[in-house]
Amino acid sequence: MESQSHSSDDTTMIAESVREVRQTFSSGKTREESWRREQLKRLLSLLLEREDDICRALGQDLGKHHVESYRDEVGPLIKSVNYALQGLKKWMAGRKAELPLAAFPASAQLVPEPLGVVLIMSSWNFPFGLCLEPLVGAIAAGNGAVIKPSELSPVSSSVLAELVHAYLDTTAIKIVQGGVSVGEQLLQQKWDKIFFTGGAKVGRVVMTAAARNLTPVALELGGKCPAVVDVLSSSWDQKIAMKRILSAKFGTCAGQACIAIDYILVEKKFSSTLVELLKTAIFSMFGENQKENIARIINKSHFSRLRNLLNEPMVTNSIVHGGWLDEDNLFIEPTLLLDPPVNSGIMSEEIFGPLLPIITLERIEDSIEFINSMPRPLAIYAFTNSEGLKKKLSSRTSSGSIVFNDAIIQYVADSFPFGGVGESGFGRYHGKFSFEVFSHEKVIARRSFLVDFWFRYPPWNDHKLQLFKSAYVFDYLGILLILLGLKKS
Amino acid sequence: MAVGVEEVVKELRSTYTSGKTKTLEWRASQLKAIIRIATHHENEIVEALRSDLKKPELESFVHEICAVLSACKLALKELHRWMKPQKVKTSMTTFPASGEIVPEPLGVVLVISTWNYPFLLSLEPVIGAIAAGNVVVLKPSEVAPATSSVLSKLLGEYMDTTAVKVIEGAVPETTALLEQKWDKIFYTGSGKVGRIILAAAAKHLTPVVLELGGKCPVVVDANINLKVAARRIISGKWGCNSGQTCVSPDYVITTKEYASKLVDVLSAELENFYGKDPLQSKDLSSIINAHHFDRVTKLLDDEKVSGKIVFGGQQDKTNLKIAPTIILDVPDDSLIMNEEIFGPLLPIVTVNKIKESFDVINAKGKPLAAYLFTNDQKLKAEFIGSVSAGGITINDVALHFAEAGLPFGGVGESGMGAYHGKFSFDTFSHKKAVLQRGFGGDVAARYPPYAPWKLQFLKALLRGSILGVLRALLGW
């Protein structure tokens, strides 16, 4: 991990790196289908051969279990690369389009082209996934790319740099490591697109910097993703729902995920049953040795942040399960809270941790109003068998996505766009959307010299005006008649 | 004024929250209202455009009114289809599941328009915003005041003003508007202001569409039907608002060998179109105002440029008219070759071999459009492969601009985002992913407590390997 350890502010190094990538892009190399395919295949080898290194790094940075790392990062990446390899030819080919009669004879196509040199900035909770999923799209679309992993997950950042250096074409794909200062310097450069995953505060900084160069951005931010839990009468449904809820909170980076369940909404009459079900399921899922199957909090700063959320007086009183904090090991056990005050910190900020508030409502339909009183989240979850409730929720709330009877799983669904709306961001990726977010869809219209409509040209007169009026409303018969002199202007 | 703007946005947001604008009926009613505006008030609109730009009636009709009408009609026809959720195939990884992508409105959007096609460029985005179910504020350009006023009056009369508002004004009003929180901002205009808009949008994390400009090049090869090519170039340049059009040919590139032929044919056709005294022709728009008149004429101030005029050059400051002017072989570092001209001056740059034109183009910022006249298939393919632009038209000019089936937008310096037709609807929508799962068919391998067999299973599942999944289940 020697040559790529750029943790010092090195403006020259950054400018040089970007210049090299731009030069490579200008040479046309990255536009070739063969280059894109080769890089994707090498990325696949990287993931298949170095799974252990990746999972070890995630274990060191976040205390993630090997299986969790595979399930949430390595596995989905393998799937995404294969999907891109499969779709690449078709995606690159573009599509045909229609032109109006006034352009006859003509044809038109939409041809995707790479944007150029793109910057990918990742967050620390899924350091490999959030760097490499966008990279798959950037490569497939034929761009050069510079990736800045988060400095808060330093082992992963370092391993990522080593692996990219070992497997990929570093004249076109580079990792630049570092903290805030390096990030700022990168933002001074001119990019053809910036793809940012992280919090809204930094998102604003990124977009403001991008404005200077008219650089388009995609922002994958966060929000408070609610899970609406309806009355479930079948014990099977209850069991599955609990597993999915707990896995989507405590089992996914200890709740430190943009699409983790942030809080639960449930009807008062079902709430005590729910709390019991959750407690039972926590025990059976995480057992005695919780630390083995649950990730750590990333650092002391976030640990303190979460502890402060719990320490608000009314909030502490609402804890119904858990609440044990182990600062030395940066571990917080799965914690359930019942009806903390709605204006408390834990209910106003994105929690991003293993604390699960349960808010009770008179009727489950009230969840719609509750959700709408908050900024639009990246995802809304609902566990219910009621088609009516599903319809109401879907049509009356807005979010990046909405998932019924499961959670997090939308992350691995290639045919669904993954992205936010409002405060949860804009732009989307995964599957073909990754290819599109790093492409410009260029219009190509072709005409022949053979037929030229003389009425297109001045000098103008009423006759020509009539012809246009007909042409524009696609009144072909009208055009013919006027041309033949059979219809008066 | 700032307080006024805040109140307006608050009212719009509460209209949006009521859900009224989400219904197909409401959207259709508003689109029909725009059709009534464009059909019953054609004369008023043409007059306003004449007052602002001296735009010939046919240009006003074809480029602005017809375009608005056809956009509305297309939206009315297709709206129910556009609004329909799109079913999505799910794969083995999420099996069993079903899903769709559902379009929803973004909410409260701001459309800031410009002065060269003030009617069209105000209403076309508004049509998209309404079709997608949003509420909208339109800020027309103060540089085309007659049209701004007509828009304010007619939209005020015909549209649902609790959901569609026109706010007239200049920089102070625009600044006040940009301080508000919008769910999308759609801006047509210059790169300079585009940067200001993007920076303002960043404060609220508002997504933005920027329809900007650039220097749209026309490459003219030899061995073509030069007469037809010349007519098309002329109609795309001077026949489109006297070159004050974002997709107008800005400059021409041709070989040294072919240049004089091109100049001859262009000159002849220009005379056919506009007569011997073009300043008198009623078929040419004037320059929008004195500021832009000075800006354009200043481009000729450089004697290295003015000495190369081969056609035209006449000016009438009182009437803000500049005759179609062709300039041959201007130096690459002159102002006229580095700024978007946006006027009736056409520089012709000459190269030794036609392929060198690609380097000339790529040395400048990516334009909104690039044009090539040729019969050489290989040259066409190379042009398409190496020139990046919002859109490319081969053997014609400005065509893709008119077509509702094609996305209209820039790349790089010429902008971001696209619209027209369904792309307008899409640009003002959020496409929400809706994924449905049942409680049957559960994959225990997903959940803690973790174990090696779960790893095997997940590996197979994420690779889509049914055999692997079976093996893992059977413990092999």
Side-chain angles (χ1 to χ4, degrees):
Chain A
M1 274 119 272
E2 4 56 30
S3 57
Q4 294 287 328
S5 296
H6 299 294
S7 49
S8 59
D9 304 356
D10 194 343
T11 327
T12 330
M13 178 275 294
I14 289 171
E16 251 317 299
S17 300
V18 178
R19 196 181 348 225
E20 185 183 355
V21 176
R22 197 161 276 294
Q23 210 170 349
T24 307
F25 178 74
S26 303
S27 76
K29 171 161 68 154
T30 65
R31 289 175 186 250
E32 302 289 326
E33 187 185 333
S34 55
W35 181 87
R36 306 184 202 193
R37 223 168 254 291
E38 178 62 30
Q39 293 308 299
L40 290 172
K41 288 199 182 121
R42 291 199 200 166
L43 187 52
L44 192 57
S45 302
L46 186 166
L47 295 162
L48 292 169
E49 290 164 17
R50 308 296 287 265
E51 175 192 326
D52 288 342
D53 290 329
I54 294 171
C55 292
R56 196 176 310 126
L58 289 168
Q60 288 180 265
D61 279 329
L62 286 150
K64 280 195 199 185
H65 192 284
H66 188 117
V67 179
E68 181 182 336
S69 298
Y70 189 89
R71 183 198 70 199
D72 292 345
E73 298 201 54
V74 182
L77 279 167
I78 292 174
K79 165 202 65 63
S80 296
V81 176
N82 279 327
Y83 192 84
L85 279 166
Q86 226 181 358
L88 190 60
K89 210 183 190 66
K90 192 154 163 283
W91 298 349
M92 285 176 70
R95 47 196 172 126
K96 273 203 167 314
E98 297 289 303
L99 285 177
L101 183 77
F104 173 82
S107 71
Q109 305 158 265
L110 297 171
V111 167
E113 43 170 47
L115 290 167
V117 178
V118 307
L119 173 65
I120 296 169
M121 301 181 91
S122 162
S123 170
W124 48 261
N125 51 350
F126 296 87
F128 290 92
L130 297 176
C131 284
L132 298 178
E133 290 279 357
L135 181 63
V136 170
I139 290 174
N143 300 278
V146 172
I147 303 169
K148 181 186 161 327
S150 168
E151 72 281 15
L152 295 188
S153 44
V155 182
S156 301
S157 171
S158 181
V159 168
L160 188 61
E162 187 220 326
L163 293 177
V164 164
H165 189 72
Y167 282 80
L168 302 179
D169 177 355
T170 54
T171 66
I173 301 166
K174 290 197 188 292
I175 303 267
V176 174
Q177 297 189 73
V180 171
S181 154
V182 166
E184 278 169 357
Q185 286 174 74
L186 281 168
L187 289 173
Q188 302 290 334
Q189 300 293 316
K190 185 172 185 330
W191 305 98
D192 299 303
K193 184 126 194 180
I194 299 177
F195 189 101
F196 172 82
T197 307
K201 186 158 142 266
V202 181
R204 284 185 179 85
V205 171
V206 170
M207 193 170 164
T208 308
R212 262 182 282 123
N213 291 313
L214 290 172
T215 300
V217 310
L219 299 177
E220 297 272 329
L221 309 175
K224 290 181 78 62
C225 300
V228 176
V229 182
D230 196 9
V231 174
L232 297 167
S233 35
S234 133
S235 67
W236 174 263
D237 290 358
Q238 289 172 354
K239 200 161 117 238
I240 303 297
M242 291 313 110
K243 280 193 183 178
R244 292 177 178 176
I245 290 170
L246 294 179
S247 177
K249 177 69 157 184
F250 310 113
T252 305
C253 205
Q256 299 164 103
C258 53
I259 46 173
I261 292 178
D262 188 279
Y263 65 100
I264 286 180
L265 291 165
V266 68
E267 242 176 38
K268 272 194 173 43
K269 68 173 195 258
F270 191 56
S271 59
S272 44
T273 313
L274 178 62
V275 171
E276 287 315 306
L277 285 169
L278 285 168
K279 284 184 185 176
T280 313
I282 287 174
F283 186 75
S284 76
M285 185 173 273
F286 301 111
E288 293 291 332
N289 194 355
Q290 298 181 335
K291 286 210 191 84
E292 205 183 288
N293 285 293
I294 300 179
R296 279 198 305 268
I297 307 306
I298 182 71
N299 60 20
K300 279 210 168 13
S301 162
H302 278 275
F303 189 91
S304 302
R305 179 183 64 79
L306 289 164
R307 183 178 41 211
N308 290 341
L309 289 180
L310 284 179
N311 281 349
E312 283 185 44
M314 299 285 283
V315 176
T316 321
N317 292 342
S318 69
I319 297 177
V320 292
H321 179 91
W324 177 61
L325 302 121
D326 176 358
E327 182 155 9
D328 293 330
N329 291 305
L330 292 175
F331 184 79
I332 298 177
E333 71 163 323
T335 301
L336 304 174
L337 304 103
L338 186 57
D339 277 327
V342 169
N343 58 4
S344 58
I346 204 171
M347 281 312 295
S348 347
E349 298 169 19
E350 184 175 3
I351 297 167
F352 230 65
L355 317 174
L356 182 58
I358 299 163
I359 307 289
T360 62
L361 306 162
E362 285 305 319
R363 300 171 317 135
I364 199 64
E365 286 83 6
D366 298 340
S367 55
I368 293 172
E369 201 185 316
F370 191 97
I371 292 171
N372 287 340
S373 69
M374 306 233 197
R376 285 168 285 183
L378 206 39
I380 292 175
Y381 304 110
F383 291 83
T384 178
N385 286 318
S386 158
E387 292 307 315
L389 181 62
K390 286 182 196 174
K391 267 206 183 61
K392 280 202 197 119
L393 271 168
S394 183
S395 61
R396 299 214 212 131
T397 63
S398 180
S399 53
S401 43
I402 183 164
V403 183
F404 295 110
N405 298 329
D406 208 334
I408 310 270
I409 195 146
Q410 73 273 26
Y411 186 77
V412 294
D414 297 305
S415 36
F416 291 83
F418 186 86
V421 65
E423 282 89 346
S424 47
F426 54 83
R428 54 200 194 161
Y429 70 134
H430 287 187
K432 184 172 186 224
F433 303 104
S434 290
F435 175 87
E436 288 171 359
V437 82
F438 289 108
S439 297
H440 164 58
E441 203 174 29
K442 187 165 72 179
V443 174
I444 316 284
R446 296 165 205 267
R447 277 271 269 139
S448 110
F449 288 107
L450 286 178
V451 180
D452 202 33
F453 286 137
W454 53 271
F455 59 85
R456 279 176 65 177
Y457 311 118
W460 303 129
N461 54 42
D462 275 337
H463 187 59
K464 293 186 182 182
L465 184 58
Q466 274 317 305
L467 279 165
F468 266 112
K469 288 194 173 183
S470 299
Y472 261 87
V473 297
F474 306 121
D475 178 7
Y476 309 137
L477 185 61
I479 295 178
L480 200 56
L481 293 175
I482 295 175
L483 279 173
L484 294 173
L486 293 174
K487 184 172 168 184
K488 271 274 183 267
S489 343
Chain B
M1 191 65 229
V3 173
V5 161
E6 229 173 274
E7 287 306 310
V8 165
V9 177
K10 217 188 287 191
E11 182 191 348
L12 286 171
R13 205 161 271 292
S14 106
T15 304
Y16 179 70
T17 313
S18 76
K20 167 164 69 156
T21 65
K22 288 192 180 189
T23 66
L24 176 60
E25 292 71 32
W26 182 87
R27 305 183 202 193
S29 76
Q30 296 305 290
L31 293 171
K32 288 185 187 141
I34 296 180
I35 290 180
R36 282 199 298 277
I37 291 175
T39 5
H40 299 165
H41 295 268
E42 200 183 295
N43 292 333
E44 238 175 292
I45 296 163
V46 168
E47 265 321 297
L49 290 168
R50 198 195 310 276
S51 162
D52 283 331
L53 288 149
K54 291 225 186 43
K55 203 174 268 214
E57 185 188 344
L58 194 135
E59 275 190 49
S60 295
F61 183 76
V62 172
H63 296 163
E64 303 218 38
I65 297 176
C66 273
V68 165
L69 283 172
S70 76
C72 278
K73 290 187 177 151
L74 180 72
L76 274 169
K77 182 157 160 270
E78 296 294 315
L79 197 50
H80 72 283
R81 232 172 28 91
W82 294 348
M83 285 172 70
K84 248 204 266 183
Q86 176 203 341
K87 285 234 170 293
V88 173
K89 263 179 37 190
T90 54
S91 70
M92 205 182 96
T93 324
T94 53
F95 181 83
S98 70
E100 30 184 44
I101 297 175
V102 175
E104 345 176 286
L106 290 167
V108 183
V109 308
L110 172 63
V111 173
I112 301 177
S113 169
T114 186
W115 53 260
N116 57 342
Y117 291 81
F119 188 71
L120 172 67
L121 297 178
S122 295
L123 290 184
E124 178 127 32
V126 167
I127 289 166
I130 288 173
N134 301 278
V135 298
V136 54
V137 168
L138 166 67
K139 153 86 186 71
S141 171
E142 72 280 14
V143 178
T147 312
S148 174
S149 179
V150 158
L151 280 166
S152 179
K153 170 167 158 272
L154 293 176
L155 268 72
E157 266 173 44
Y158 283 79
M159 312 289 292
D160 175 355
T161 55
T162 67
V164 179
K165 294 204 190 285
V166 179
I167 294 184
E168 295 189 80
V171 173
E173 287 76 15
T174 310
T175 310
L177 283 168
L178 288 173
E179 280 165 11
Q180 303 302 309
K181 181 176 179 350
W182 304 95
D183 298 308
K184 188 131 193 178
I185 298 176
F186 187 106
Y187 169 75
T188 309
S190 72
K192 179 159 148 266
V193 178
R195 284 168 169 81
I196 297 172
I197 308 253
L198 202 46
K203 295 205 189 77
H204 295 288
L205 295 169
T206 298
V208 167
V209 171
L210 298 177
E211 296 273 330
L212 309 176
K215 291 182 77 62
C216 301
V218 185
V219 176
V220 181
D221 192 16
N223 305 317
I224 56 169
N225 185 329
L226 193 47
K227 200 154 160 206
V228 171
R231 285 179 174 170
R232 290 175 181 178
I233 292 172
I234 294 171
S235 94
K237 176 79 167 186
W238 295 283
C240 283
N241 215 15
S242 251
Q244 298 164 104
T245 300
C246 50
V247 288
S248 263
D250 185 279
Y251 65 104
V252 166
I253 312 175
T254 191
T255 55
K256 290 196 193 314
E257 218 187 303
Y258 204 59
S260 54
K261 235 170 141 190
L262 176 59
V263 170
D264 288 341
V265 177
L266 278 171
S267 308
E269 291 302 322
L270 276 169
E271 211 178 283
N272 285 337
F273 284 17
Y274 303 113
K276 286 204 186 297
D277 188 4
L279 288 178
Q280 299 305 318
S281 168
K282 291 217 172 2
D283 296 332
L284 272 175
S285 299
S286 54
I287 306 303
I288 180 74
N289 59 25
H291 162 75
H292 280 276
F293 183 92
D294 290 339
R295 181 188 62 76
V296 175
T297 50
K298 185 159 152 263
L299 297 173
L300 294 173
D301 269 354
D302 185 346
E303 59 183 28
K304 285 201 224 65
V305 172
S306 58
K308 302 290 188 112
I309 295 177
V310 293
F311 183 90
Q314 306 97 303
Q315 300 170 14
D316 174 358
K317 183 150 187 177
T318 329
N319 292 305
L320 294 176
K321 284 210 173 219
I322 302 174
T325 303
I326 303 176
I327 313 138
L328 182 59
D329 273 332
V330 284
D332 200 50
D333 59 354
S334 53
L335 203 56
I336 200 174
M337 282 310 295
N338 286 287
E339 278 184 16
E340 186 175 1
I341 296 167
F342 226 67
L345 315 176
L346 184 70
I348 300 180
V349 170
T350 59
V351 290
N352 290 315
K353 285 195 169 23
I354 199 66
K355 267 189 77 179
E356 290 165 28
S357 59
F358 300 178
D359 297 328
V360 173
I361 298 171
N362 288 333
K364 303 190 195 297
K366 296 180 190 181
L368 202 40
Y371 306 108
L372 169 65
F373 284 88
T374 186
N375 279 318
D376 180 344
Q377 295 308 323
K378 198 154 159 279
L379 189 67
K380 282 183 196 174
E382 282 166 349
F383 188 77
I384 291 169
S386 43
V387 172
S388 181
I392 287 181
T393 302
I394 309 281
N395 294 335
D396 210 335
V397 160
L399 197 65
H400 62 278
F401 166 55
E403 176 36 45
L406 304 172
F408 181 77
V411 62
E413 283 290 324
S414 48
M416 55 183 79
Y419 72 133
H420 282 191
K422 179 162 195 280
F423 296 94
S424 291
F425 176 87
D426 289 342
T427 207
F428 286 105
S429 298
H430 166 55
K431 301 294 182 79
K432 183 164 77 179
V434 179
L435 179 50
Q436 290 243 30
R437 299 207 77 216
F439 291 110
D442 195 44
V443 173
R446 289 165 58 183
Y447 314 118
Y450 299 120
W453 79 264
K454 291 191 175 182
L455 183 58
Q456 291 317 308
F457 187 99
L458 286 170
K459 286 191 176 184
L461 186 67
L462 284 158
R463 278 189 225 170
S465 160
I466 297 179
L467 224 52
V469 164
L470 278 169
R471 279 209 289 267
L473 278 174
L474 295 171
W476 289 354

